[in-house]
């Protein structure tokens, strides 16, 4: 009887379940969207029960559709949307309020007050994170302040806090845990000592009694209730989605990097067992802990990646569907001097300018919609090149030698050959697109499979990674430098 690993990929807009075999190949998958709630401007919420029921439904569906018995599943791995905050009653297992999603900005003023009080540096030194409403700490503080009696109940041990991984594990097994990668995104976790930080708990007035136990990313943390799938299955792998994707891309040696080209872009570089403090406003985060060894990552994010192409479709109407952009952009040899800075919601790393706005520069009478489409695609690559430059500066400042030799790409926009080639040109290193692009789920599967002996080692996993296409840089250094200089001028004109 063949054995498989079941990966649960719980994302911001949908829940997915994917079955992987021993070769890391996909046997089958199922997906289900769930509602998004926007009760006030800047607020984004999920119903925790809808997250749970959608995730359970797709897990059951993929087993049923492919006639897989529960005893054929050696383990379950979980990858999840990060930072989203859930509080529930330990006794009943019911959430006490809607989940506050990572995109939610309701606590921005709290963060500004903490910054004004001089707390930002301490928070960054302890957690590796920017002081921002993005992370879980101020979201949890808000729930404790606004749900009647919540903080007192939390002090009595009646309430549990968790990110989405914790919520799913609790519903699956009854255990209250989180892995190190998710803990490192809460803004409450000391990434150097690998434990919850008492000073930060006091700063945000969060009772320690409600926090989950921190576990490794690859270990058996419990077994599912037999009623869910017909038999108890070990839950043995947990990681935040971007860390899971990095593991799934087999970026397992220091200096290896991946970029996920989705709605935004997330670039992460493997640092090995020692964190690097960022002086360029990137994030230092825990990647995973496997067999007692912790891996750290540098992370940078671009707000507008594939979303820039969606704007061409929905805002300008110059393409009918997103996939049309490549042919339109390829109909001209270059952007004709046109630069698009897609700062529609401000600029992310390394600029962090919330007041920047989108701009088109370099337009002439000869400019047409193809030049604009090409400039939009190139903007994704320019922003990603800025992240890599910031990472290289941080690494050099730490006096460590981590030369970038290639970039591994995944996400929907990574299917765009023109974009991938331009990215390789700007980075000056090859860009590699893998055969298996479901890297987030694959990373969760690998972490779970390692824990139960389905795979023997990280070396075996690295050997399974296969390249579908390799894009070699074809641009000379002088042309690259000139383009990046013009991009930098365009960005300056978009700021503030």
């Amino acid at each position: 009887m063949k054995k498989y690993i079941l990966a649960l990929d719980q994302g911001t807009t949908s829940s997915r379940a994917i079955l992987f075999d021993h070769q890391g190949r996909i046997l089958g998958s199922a997906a289900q969207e769930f509602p998004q709630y926007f009760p006030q401007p800047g607020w984004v919420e999920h119903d925790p029960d809808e997250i749970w029921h959608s995730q359970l439904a797709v897990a059951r569906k993929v087993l049923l559709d492919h006639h897989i018995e529960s005893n054929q599943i050696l383990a379950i791995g979980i990858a999840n949307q990060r930072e989203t905050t859930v509080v529930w009653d330990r006794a009943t297992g019911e959430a006490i309020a809607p989940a506050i999603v990572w995109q939610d900005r309701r606590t921005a003023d709290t963060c500004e007050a903490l910054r004004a009080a001089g707390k930002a540096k301490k928070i960054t030194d302890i957690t590796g994170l920017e002081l921002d409403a993005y992370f879980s700490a101020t979201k949890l503080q808000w729930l404790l302040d606004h749900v009647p009696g919540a903080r007192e109940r939390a002090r009595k041990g009646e309430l549990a806090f968790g990110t989405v991984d914790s919520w799913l594990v609790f519903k699956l097994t009854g255990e209250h845990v989180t892995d190190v990668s998710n803990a490192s995104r809460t803004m409450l976790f000391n990434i150097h000592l690998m434990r919850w930080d008492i000073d930060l708990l006091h700063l945000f007035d969060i009772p320690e009694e409600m926090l989950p136990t921190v576990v490794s990313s690859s270990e058996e943390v419990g077994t599912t209730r037999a009623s869910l799938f017909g038999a108890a299955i070990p839950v043995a792998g947990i990681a935040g989605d971007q860390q899971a994707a990095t593991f799934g891309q087999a970026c397992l040696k220091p200096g290896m990097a991946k970029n996920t080209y989705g709605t935004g872009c997330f670039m992460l570089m493997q640092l090995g067992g020692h964190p690097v403090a960022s002086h360029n406003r990137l994030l230092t985060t825990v990647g995973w802990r496997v067999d007692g060894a912790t891996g750290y990552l540098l992370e940078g994010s671009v707000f507008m990646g594939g979303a820039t192409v969606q704007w061409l479709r929905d805002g300008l109407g110059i393409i009918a569907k997103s996939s049309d952009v490549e042919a339109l952009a390829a109909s001209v040899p270059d952007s004709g001097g046109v630069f698009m800075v897609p700062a529609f919601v401000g600029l992310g790393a390394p600029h962090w300018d919330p007041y920047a706005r989108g701009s088109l520069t370099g337009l002439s009478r000869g400019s047409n919609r193809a030049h604009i489409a090409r400039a939009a695609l190139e903007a994704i690559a320019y922003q990603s090149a800025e992240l890599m430059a910031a990472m290289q500066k941080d690494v050099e400042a730490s006096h460590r030698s981590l030369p970038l030799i290639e970039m591994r790409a995944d996400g929907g926009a990574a299917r765009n050959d023109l974009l991938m080639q331009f990215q390789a040109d700007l980075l000056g290193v090859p860009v590699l697109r893998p055969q298996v692009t479901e890297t987030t789920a694959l990373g969760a599967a690998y972490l779970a499979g390692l824990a139960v002996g389905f795979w023997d080692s990280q070396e075996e996993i690295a050997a399974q990674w296969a390249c579908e296409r390799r894009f070699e840089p074809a641009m000379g250094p002088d042309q690259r430098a000139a383009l990046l200089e013009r991009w930098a001028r365009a960005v300056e004109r978009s700021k503030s």
Side-chain angles (χ1 to χ4, degrees), residues 411-431:
R415 292 191 290 268
N416 189 306
D417 291 350
L418 190 151
L419 171 59
M420 293 296 97
Q421 182 58 55
F422 192 69
Q423 187 71 84
D425 289 341
L426 286 184
L427 294 176
V429 298
V431 171

Side-chain angles (χ1 to χ4, degrees), residues 2 11 90 97 118-119 131 150 152 193 196 219 252 292 356 364 385 427:
K2 290 194 71 172
R90 289 185 187 275
K119 303 297 184 183
L131 169 55
E152 184 57 35
L193 301 177
W196 300 116
E219 69 170 282
L252 304 177
S364 69
L427 294 176

Side-chain angles (χ1 to χ4, degrees), residues 128-288:
L129 307 176
E130 285 279 316
L131 169 55
D132 195 85
Y134 180 20
F135 305 106
S136 310
T138 56
K139 302 179 192 300
L140 176 54
Q141 183 183 33
W142 190 94
L143 286 170
L144 294 176
D145 286 339
H146 289 81
V147 176
R151 185 169 274 106
E152 184 57 35
R153 292 188 64 202
R155 289 196 179 101
K156 293 178 181 177
E158 297 175 6
L159 300 183
F161 151 73
T163 42
V164 169
D165 60 307
S166 295
W167 172 243
L168 292 179
V169 172
F170 184 85
K171 300 298 276 188
L172 287 165
T173 72
E175 301 294 333
H176 184 211
V177 302
T178 190
D179 93 297
V180 291
S181 73
N182 281 291
S184 76
R185 310 296 293 194
T186 61
M187 214 160 66
L188 297 169
F189 189 72
N190 189 314
I191 65 169
H192 309 283
L193 301 177
M194 300 298 288
R195 67 188 185 207
W196 300 116
D197 190 88
I198 297 301
D199 289 344
L200 293 181
L201 295 180
H202 290 159
L203 178 64
F204 294 105
D205 194 14
I206 291 169
E208 189 175 5
E209 292 82 358
M210 70 185 310
L211 299 180
T213 300
V214 181
V215 298
S216 293
S217 310
S218 179
E219 69 170 282
E220 290 191 42
V221 298
T223 56
T224 63
R225 299 194 303 275
S227 59
L228 296 176
F229 302 109
I233 303 171
V235 175
I238 307 171
D241 52 11
Q242 295 307 319
Q243 289 99 323
T246 308
F247 202 86
Q249 282 276 38
C251 293
L252 304 177
K253 294 181 180 178
M256 297 183 73
K258 71 91 188 172
N259 197 16
T260 297
Y261 296 83
T263 301
C265 297
F266 292 88
M267 183 179 290
L268 290 90
M269 175 185 278
Q270 162 73 273
L271 298 173
H274 302 283
V276 168
S278 178
H279 302 286
N280 294 277
R281 303 192 72 184
L282 302 177
L283 307 178
T284 306
T285 197
V286 177
W288 47 77

Side-chain angles (χ1 to χ4, degrees), residues 281-315:
R281 303 192 72 184
L282 302 177
L283 307 178
T284 306
T285 197
V286 177
W288 47 77
R289 187 166 65 202
V290 178
D291 293 332
T294 301
Y296 292 90
L297 304 169
L298 266 180
E299 177 177 329
S301 57
V302 168
F303 294 157
M304 295 290 292
T308 308
V309 177
Q310 293 169 352
W311 179 74
L312 295 182
R313 181 193 66 197
D314 303 333

